[in-house]
Structure formats: structure tokens, C-alpha cells
Amino acid sequence: MDIVVKGRKTEVPERFRKHVAEKLKLEKIQKLDGKVISLDVEVSKEPNPRQADRCDRVEITLRSRGPVIRAEAAASDPYAALDLAAEKLDARLRKEHDKRHTRRGARRLTAAEVADVVPDAATLNADGQAVPAEEPDGVPVKKIGPLEVKGEGPLVVREKTHVASPMSLDQALYEMELVGHDFYLFVDSETKEPSVVYRRHAYDYGVIHLNTDPMVTGVQSPSAGDTLGG
């Protein structure tokens, strides 16, 4: 595997290419991720003189059989930006490496143990297919998450519940890139409301924030015995 160094609207001197090879040790990277396919380094320059302290940007993209890992940084010169981006890449590689080893260490449940450990687990037949429950009238009822479907229906629901700690927008973008998804649901640490970041075009991102409507949460619908306007 080679390191591909390219410039976006700027020339990359040979001295910098050698510095990249010295800074990004392939042997060290492959120890943390043995399935690396490619490693790209892109250098760009900000022409705005007001951003002289962040005029040089370096983005490192590591592609493997797992999720794509990106690390970028900006500084007053490309060498400093590369050092910062390399530190971020190393931290993310180690985090992904530790995550893989944690998964391997966890013991998997056998099919016979699932019903005893997982609440409301489906019963499987000899072919490994879920056996639907039946109501007294003989119509099979399937429980999909919080929903119950009677008979055969096209409804397919996949439900997941995750424990989420509030995080900043930057952290949410990092987590999205780390898992390799096109979107990431998180709880904003500033607003404490659910939000979603998503990939738009190329390296552009979007974010959607949800705010609780006070008109909905503050007004309760009248019960059947209440009288409107009374």
C-alpha cells in the first residue's frame, strides 16, 4: 500500500511528500488496522488573508474493509497541519482498534439462551424462522417492536435503542465518519434536543435540529367526559 499525496489548487513540494512518508508510518497504521486498502493525503490552501493562522489544511483519508476514517486539521503551515491531522488519525485508529477487540472478547449467546436472556424474544422453529403468536381466533399476531401486526402484512420495522451521551456537532460529525454512515442521530450538548447530521454532497454536511413544540406539550387533549369551553 502506498500513500497518495495530492494538492487541491496548490502545488505539493517533494520535501513535504517525504515528510508525509516519515510522519505516517505504514507499519504502525497496519498494526492498528490490518485491512487498510488506501491512504490519501490532500493538501489545500485558504486564500483569505484573514485566516492566515489556518491557511493550510491537510485531510487524511484511510479506507479499509471497515468504515472510512478521516482526520483533518488546519494551521499556519502544511507541516503543522499534517502533525495535527496525524494525531487525530492515530487517536481514531486506536479507538476503532480497541472497539474491534472489545467485540471479539464478548461472548455470543447461543440460540437456546436468547429466549432466557432477551425479553419478548421470538420463538424459532427448526428452520430458524420466527414462530408468530396466535390469538384465540386463530389469526397469527407478530410483535414488531412496539407494534402488533395481525396476519400477513408488508410492514417491516427494525428497532434499535442506543444509550447516547450529549455531544457537540463536531463530535457527531466525527462519530458519523468513524462508523461510515451517511447520517448520525445524537443529542445536542447545548440544546439537549435530538439532532441529526447527514452527508450532502462531497464533503458538505447538513444538520437537523428538533425543538419540542410548547403548544403541543403544554396543552392536553380533553377526555371524553370533559366539556369544551366549560
Side-chain angles (χ1 to χ4, degrees), residues 37 45 62 66-67 72 130 149 154 157 166 169 172 182 185 191 216 221 227:
I37 298 173
K45 198 169 187 67
L62 186 147
E72 60 179 303
V149 181
V157 177
L169 177 59
D182 291 330
L185 176 64
T191 64
V216 175
S221 58
T227 302

Side-chain angles (χ1 to χ4, degrees), residues 12 22 32 40 44 46 52 55 69 94 107 113 118 120 133 137 150 155 158 189 204-205:
V12 181
E22 295 172 358
L32 295 174
D40 299 333
S44 59
E46 172 59 53
C55 61
I69 300 178
R94 291 184 183 279
R107 189 179 72 87
E113 295 174 316
V118 182
D120 299 327
D137 57 5
K150 296 185 65 175
L155 180 63
R158 185 178 180 184
S189 57
D204 292 337
Y205 303 98

Side-chain angles (χ1 to χ4, degrees), residues 54-167:
R54 298 172 58 85
C55 61
D56 289 285
R57 177 175 295 274
V58 173
E59 179 178 307
I60 306 172
T61 303
L62 186 147
R63 292 179 174 85
S64 68
R65 296 180 185 177
V68 176
I69 300 178
R70 288 190 179 91
E72 60 179 303
S76 57
D77 65 81
Y79 294 91
L82 175 65
D83 291 346
L84 293 174
E87 290 178 4
K88 292 182 180 180
L89 179 70
D90 183 70
R92 294 172 186 178
L93 276 172
R94 291 184 183 279
K95 181 177 181 180
E96 188 65 19
H97 177 267
D98 294 341
K99 187 186 297 184
R100 287 195 300 269
H101 279 261
T102 301
R103 289 173 183 167
R104 291 173 186 170
R107 189 179 72 87
R108 295 185 177 182
L109 297 176
T110 64
E113 295 174 316
V114 171
D116 297 331
V117 177
V118 182
D120 299 327
T123 303
L124 303 181
N125 58 22
D127 297 327
Q129 302 295 324
V131 179
E134 291 193 1
E135 287 194 339
D137 57 5
V139 179
V141 177
K142 292 184 294 184
K143 188 172 181 61
I144 306 177
L147 306 177
E148 289 186 354
V149 181
K150 296 185 65 175
E152 297 296 329
L155 180 63
V156 177
V157 177
R158 185 178 180 184
E159 185 181 58
K160 286 187 176 181
T161 302
H162 297 278
V163 177
S165 301
M167 64 179 64

Side-chain angles (χ1 to χ4, degrees), residues 165-170 172 185-197 207-210:
S165 301
M167 64 179 64
S168 64
L169 177 59
D170 288 342
L185 176 64
F186 69 104
V187 178
D188 194 297
S189 57
E190 293 184 4
T191 64
K192 301 301 185 293
E193 297 284 354
S195 302
V196 173
V197 290
V207 58
I208 299 174
H209 300 287
L210 295 181

